Amino acid sequence: MKLSNRFTLTRVLLSPIFFLLYFIPIWTGGSFSRVSMCIGIPLLAFMEFTDYLDGHYARKHNEVSDFGKHFDPFADVIVHMSTFVCLMRSCSPEGGYMPAFIFILILYREMTMNFLRMVAVTKGTTIAARKGGKVKTVVYVISGFYGFFLETLVRFKVQLECFGIMKNVAVGLFILCVVLSYISFLDYLIHFGKVLKE
């Protein structure tokens, strides 16, 4: 397997580990809540860093391929859907940070985009990431880390009077994720519309 694709595979394999780290304290009534964040957040940072590494080494070693152009966004979806599911829950009795309706809208967009990529392949066309999709991904990452920052405050029992406002900011970021995801989706439809119409 090419080095760039190994970095991509790393994201796929680490996603369920991150998911378990986040949820174990919730399932066990708070056990290892601080440890889970101390391990989980650096793990997530590493996973996101591999997204840079796979592209870097694909270009450096001339490993850019149609397979990589599909595998990379697939791995991104696995990572981001895993993190968003986590952010729907919290160790706090007040609940999570991402409303279910926002998650389902993002999930619909990502699944539909992956389906369109498969359809395009049957026509001999590879739908690579476009600028709008990359911007959307950056906002996904920022909003995800912000949500985990809030959960870290909860698990370390840091009480802030403005915490309610901070949670509202998180919801605002997630709404922005939805808006950008659908804008980029429309961009893909416009750019590759001829292929998809056929």
Side-chain angles (χ1 to χ4, degrees), residues 63-90:
E63 296 178 353
V64 177
S65 64
D66 288 343
F67 174 79
K69 290 177 181 178
H70 288 91
F71 193 29
D72 179 60
F74 168 77
D76 287 345
V77 169
I78 294 293
V79 172
H80 296 139
M81 294 305 100
S82 297
T83 57
F84 288 161
V85 167
C86 290
L87 291 172
M88 293 173 68
R89 294 289 304 276
S90 170

Side-chain angles (χ1 to χ4, degrees), residues 25 30 33-34 38 44 72 91 96-97 140 145 160 162 170 180 193 197:
S33 59
R34 296 183 180 183
C38 289
L44 179 61
D72 179 60
C91 278
Y97 310 96
Y140 277 13
F145 274 106
L160 299 175
C162 60
L180 293 178
K197 185 177 180 179

Side-chain angles (χ1 to χ4, degrees), residues 171-184:
V171 173
L173 285 172
F174 294 138
I175 291 173
L176 181 60
C177 287
V178 173
V179 172
L180 293 178
S181 69
Y182 280 87
I183 289 175
S184 68

